[in-house]
Amino acid sequence: MKLPKRVTICEVGTRDGFQIEPEFIPTDQKIDVVNRLASAGMPRIEVTSFVSPKAIPQLRDAAEVMAAIIRRPGTTYSALVPNDKGAVRAVDARVDEIHTVVSASESHNLANVNMTIAESLTKLGAVAEVARRAGVPVVSGISCSFGCPFEGDVPLAHLESVVARLVDLGARGIGLADTTGMANPAQVGRALERLVPRFPGVEWTLHTHDTRAMAIPNILAAMEYGVTHFDASIGGLGGCPFAPGASGNVCTEDLIHCLHAMGVETGVDLDALIETAKRVQAIVGRGLPGQLVKAGKWDRRYPLPDGVRDRIPARS
Ligand code: COA
Ligand code: ZN
C-alpha cells in the first residue's frame, strides 16, 4: 500500500454533526466540544456554519460559538458558508478559513441551498471577493461528488466542470464530499486519477459519510492517489438534513486509530479524542456509531479464562 507519513484531519462534528441534532445543543456545550477537540491536537476544526437560521436552526449561535472558543495556536478554525452574507458573517467572526458549499447535483443543490448550481457559483464568486478582501483562504466543498440521492450517478465530466469553476474563483483547496455514502473505493480512485493531474496545486480533501460502511475504504483509496486531507466527525456524528438517507461522517477516533495503527501520523492525541467522543455521547444523549469507544484500541488485552494459561504450549 502507498501510505503517506502524515495526514491532516479536519474535525467537522460540531458543524456536519450538530446541524442535524433534533434538540438544540446549548452554546456553552458546543464551545466545550470545540475546545476539547483543539486540546486533543486537532489541526483543523470546521466549527459551525453561517447559513440561514431558518434552514439550520441548530447552528443559529455560530457567531457566539466563534467568539468564545479558545484559539489554540496550531489549529485552523473554519466555518461553512453558502453565500456572501455568510462569508461576511464568518469574516466578522474571525474564521481562519472559509469553507463553501455547492453540490455537483442540481436537485441536491436546490434542496440544500435553494439555488441552481449556476446561481450558487455566482454567489460563491461574491464569497471569493469577500474572502480575498479579508485575506481569508477558501476551501470549496462539493456535495454529492460521487452520487446524488435524488439523481443517482454524477458524471465525472460534470464534477470536473464544477471543480474548474471553483478553482477559477481562487479556491485553495477542493473538498470532494460523498454526502450520502454512495462512493466506492474504485470510483474514488477513478475520480482522483482524472482530477489530481488536471488541477495541480489544489489541496484535495475527501469528505466521507459512512452510510454504507465504505468511508475508511474510500479514504485508503484516496491516499493511494496522494490525498492527505480528510474530514471526519467525532463519534461518527453527522448528516445533511436536505439529503435523504444521509447519516454520520466517518468517525474521527475510528479513522485516527486506523491511521495510527498503520503508522500514519496525525498529531492528534487519540486517548483525549476518545474522552471527547464520550462527552459528545453524553451531550446528545445517545450512543454514537463510533466503534473504538466500545471496543477500545487494538492493543486492548483481556485476562485469560481460568485454566487456559497452564495449557498454552511453549513456543519452539
Ligand atoms: N446567514 C444568515 N442569514 C441568511 C444567510 C446567511 N448566510 N443567507 C440568507 N440569510 C437570510 C436572509 O437574510 C433572509 O432573511 P429574512 O427572511 O429575515 O429576510 C433569509 O435568510 C432568506 O434569504 P434568501 O437569500 O432568500 O435565501 P433562501 O431562503 O433562498 O435560502 C440559503 C438560501 C442558502 C440561505 C439557505 O438555503 C441556507 O442557509 N442553506 C444552508 C443549508 C445547509 O447548511 N445545509 C447543510 C450543509 S451542506
Ligand atoms: Zn457532510
Side-chain angles (χ1 to χ4, degrees), residues 188-265:
V188 169
R190 278 195 301 276
L192 292 169
E193 191 169 31
R194 175 139 153 197
L195 296 174
V196 172
R198 162 107 208 262
F199 301 98
V202 165
E203 180 187 286
W204 298 93
T205 297
L206 189 69
H207 174 102
T208 56
H209 284 259
D210 205 28
T211 316
R212 295 179 177 85
M214 292 191 277
I216 290 186
N218 287 335
I219 289 166
L220 295 176
M223 287 197 298
E224 294 272 348
Y225 288 86
V227 175
T228 56
H229 288 75
F230 301 100
D231 289 350
S233 186
I234 187 82
L237 285 168
C240 174
F242 307 107
S247 62
N249 296 86
V250 67
C251 167
T252 312
E253 65 273 16
D254 289 2
L255 173 60
I256 286 181
H257 175 262
C258 172
L259 292 165
H260 289 187
M262 295 191 297
V264 179
E265 293 167 21

Side-chain angles (χ1 to χ4, degrees), residues 112-227:
N112 195 35
V113 291
N114 195 27
M115 291 182 266
T116 63
I117 294 174
E119 286 164 346
S120 261
L121 290 168
T122 303
K123 287 275 183 204
L124 297 188
V127 169
E129 191 49 33
V130 172
R132 194 188 57 75
R133 269 194 249 121
V136 176
V138 174
V139 172
S140 296
I142 307 176
S143 308
C144 300
S145 285
F146 303 97
C148 164
F150 307 109
E151 293 180 13
D153 285 349
V154 169
L156 191 43
H158 177 66
L159 175 63
E160 188 172 349
S161 71
V162 179
V163 172
R165 288 290 308 280
L166 294 168
V167 171
D168 275 351
L169 290 177
R172 195 200 64 200
I174 297 288
L176 300 174
D178 183 23
T179 308
T180 60
M182 292 172 72
N184 66 67
Q187 181 190 10
V188 169
R190 278 195 301 276
L192 292 169
E193 191 169 31
R194 175 139 153 197
L195 296 174
V196 172
R198 162 107 208 262
F199 301 98
V202 165
E203 180 187 286
W204 298 93
T205 297
L206 189 69
H207 174 102
T208 56
H209 284 259
D210 205 28
T211 316
R212 295 179 177 85
M214 292 191 277
I216 290 186
N218 287 335
I219 289 166
L220 295 176
M223 287 197 298
E224 294 272 348
Y225 288 86
V227 175

Side-chain angles (χ1 to χ4, degrees), residues 97-108:
E97 195 168 78
I98 284 177
H99 290 183
T100 64
V101 58
V102 61
S103 185
S105 135
E106 290 287 0
S107 337
H108 179 255

